[in-house]
Amino acid sequence: MAELLKVEGVSKKFVSVSGLFKRQYTVVSAVDNVSFSVSEGETFGLVGESGSGKTTVARIALGLESASAGRVLVEGVDVSSLKGSGLKELRKRMGVVFQDPASSLNPRATIGQTLRRPLEVHGFSAKEMDMAVEEAMDKVQLNRDLLSRYPHQLSGGQQQRVSVARAIVLKPKCLILDEPTSALDLSVQAHVLNLLLDLQEQDKLTYLFITHDLDVVKYVSDRIGVMYLGQMMEAAPVDDLMERTAHPYTYGLLCSAPIANPRLRGQRKFQLTGEIASQVETYVGKRQMRQGITGCRLRTRCPFACETCAQNRPELREVSERHFAACDRVPLEGLPFSK
């Protein structure tokens, strides 16, 4: 299948300058040389702890943030090259669903006004808007009577389904879902996830699914990318990543998930210990700043770290078919991939 979304070596650094005569540059590396692609009709899950850079990648893909390096291609077109009408057309092809539906919906607008707004921006007629809004409400399984209500009059699950309806009302090809179920109860989460899967099958949608919930990403994704402190650590098809984990960070994430069976909870787990490396660096000059951070970001917590891990930054390499890991020491004894 053709690639719909492609992220190539994207980095995002937030820089602040201090000092009058001797300039100091404080740099926060939110995203550091991240690459992946999503094919048409596929769901690519992006997993990682809070602060790993997942949402920043999504904002760059939507054109809401500019990348410090690298590029994002949507159907072969560089997002950073788009302005005005070109960027407006991109927004028509890409929808987004945010984490908290209550804060992402305008409290002063009715549901009908909220769904009509994207259509107004793109110049739809009144008749076309009415038809598109009703179709979107039907697809997310909401009664049309809710169109006259305000967000605070809806439950959390209904609010999130309105957010999904707003994202699909322009009939985009790709949806970016930024933790769409984390603010919902478990039973409502399942309902929303099944709805998203049904919509994907009906409309051949492509999903970039951002979450920190491993069970959710396993349920909805075809492939998974694991991020840590702005870097991509591992990327693989979902079953391969879960059963033949290659990177210590991914294995640490999987072992940190709660175990349902009470008889197995006492078993010793693989743990990542030590201090988390800082994403904030201070440089005296621009030349030093351009060199960036050296070494593996996980080395301060990884039990397999050696001297070379502090000197060389490992790049994503293919360790088996379609399975990539950013670790020069793979396979590591003690991880499923070594079996």
Side-chain angles (χ1 to χ4, degrees), residues 2-49:
E3 291 178 345
L4 192 146
L5 176 65
K6 189 172 186 180
V7 176
E8 293 184 342
V10 166
S11 297
K12 180 61 180 179
K13 300 181 185 296
F14 297 95
V15 183
S16 62
V17 184
S18 61
L20 184 59
F21 299 106
K22 192 174 184 180
R23 292 297 183 96
Q24 285 192 339
Y25 299 86
T26 302
V27 181
V28 179
S29 298
V31 180
D32 195 355
N33 195 26
V34 168
S35 299
F36 63 88
S37 62
V38 191
S39 301
E40 291 182 4
E42 182 185 32
T43 299
F44 185 84
L46 206 53
V47 185
E49 297 171 274

Side-chain angles (χ1 to χ4, degrees), residues 103-324:
S103 62
S104 66
L105 298 174
N106 185 350
R108 298 181 180 178
T110 64
I111 304 306
Q113 291 170 335
T114 296
L115 297 184
R116 288 170 69 93
R117 182 56 184 159
L119 300 163
E120 291 173 356
V121 171
H122 288 275
F124 283 66
S125 67
K127 184 177 180 180
E128 289 173 331
M129 284 191 284
D130 290 339
M131 291 177 61
V133 167
E134 290 174 359
E135 183 181 355
M137 290 290 282
D138 292 341
K139 283 185 175 181
V140 298
Q141 301 169 12
L142 286 177
N143 196 309
R144 296 178 187 179
D145 293 341
L146 299 179
L147 289 171
S148 60
R149 296 189 186 181
Y150 289 87
H152 72 273
Q153 296 175 306
L154 275 59
S155 67
Q158 288 174 326
Q159 289 176 350
Q160 194 61 298
R161 280 189 280 171
V162 169
S163 297
V164 174
R166 180 179 57 184
I168 65 171
V169 73
L170 289 171
K171 298 185 177 179
K173 292 186 176 181
C174 178
L175 287 189
I176 294 181
L177 306 159
D178 190 0
E179 306 216 28
T181 60
S182 62
L184 306 176
D185 294 336
L186 285 177
S187 59
V188 182
Q189 279 188 23
H191 201 76
V192 172
L193 290 175
N194 288 329
L195 172 65
L196 289 170
L197 292 175
D198 290 341
L199 287 173
Q200 183 177 40
E201 185 177 353
Q202 292 169 18
D203 300 335
K204 311 300 180 187
L205 291 169
T206 301
Y207 289 160
L208 174 58
F209 199 104
I210 297 170
T211 184
H212 61 268
D213 191 320
L214 294 170
D215 290 330
V216 168
V217 78
K218 182 179 179 181
Y219 182 66
V220 300
S221 300
D222 299 302
R223 289 187 301 126
I224 298 176
V226 182
M227 289 185 66
Y228 177 70
L229 295 183
Q231 297 180 3
M232 186 71 78
M233 293 298 179
E234 189 168 2
V238 58
D239 291 335
D240 200 23
L241 185 133
M242 296 291 178
E243 296 172 7
R244 303 187 69 231
T245 311
H247 200 283
Y249 176 67
T250 307
Y251 195 53
L253 274 185
L254 293 173
C255 289
S256 67
I259 298 176
N261 189 339
R263 296 181 180 179
L264 302 178
R265 289 175 188 168
Q267 291 184 355
R268 187 177 179 182
K269 292 184 178 182
F270 177 86
Q271 289 185 333
L272 296 171
T273 58
E275 295 293 325
I276 298 175
S278 175
Q279 286 178 278
V280 182
E281 303 289 333
T282 302
Y283 304 100
V284 177
K286 283 188 176 180
R287 181 177 297 179
Q288 188 185 31
M289 181 177 69
R290 291 193 188 101
Q291 293 175 354
I293 302 169
T294 59
C296 176
R297 280 299 189 116
L298 190 68
R299 67 183 185 275
T300 57
R301 301 176 66 193
C302 180
F304 302 101
C306 60
E307 291 184 7
T308 57
C309 297
Q311 300 168 0
N312 303 321
R313 176 188 161 173
E315 301 293 334
L316 273 180
R317 63 185 180 90
E318 194 167 18
V319 295
S320 66
E321 186 178 1
R322 300 180 66 208
H323 193 148
F324 299 83

Side-chain angles (χ1 to χ4, degrees), residues 21 56 66 68 74-75 89 93 118 145 167 205 228 256-257 291 339:
F21 299 106
T56 304
S66 58
S68 304
V74 178
E75 295 184 305
E89 185 60 28
R93 299 201 303 270
D145 293 341
L205 291 169
Y228 177 70
S256 67
Q291 293 175 354
K339 296 178 182 179

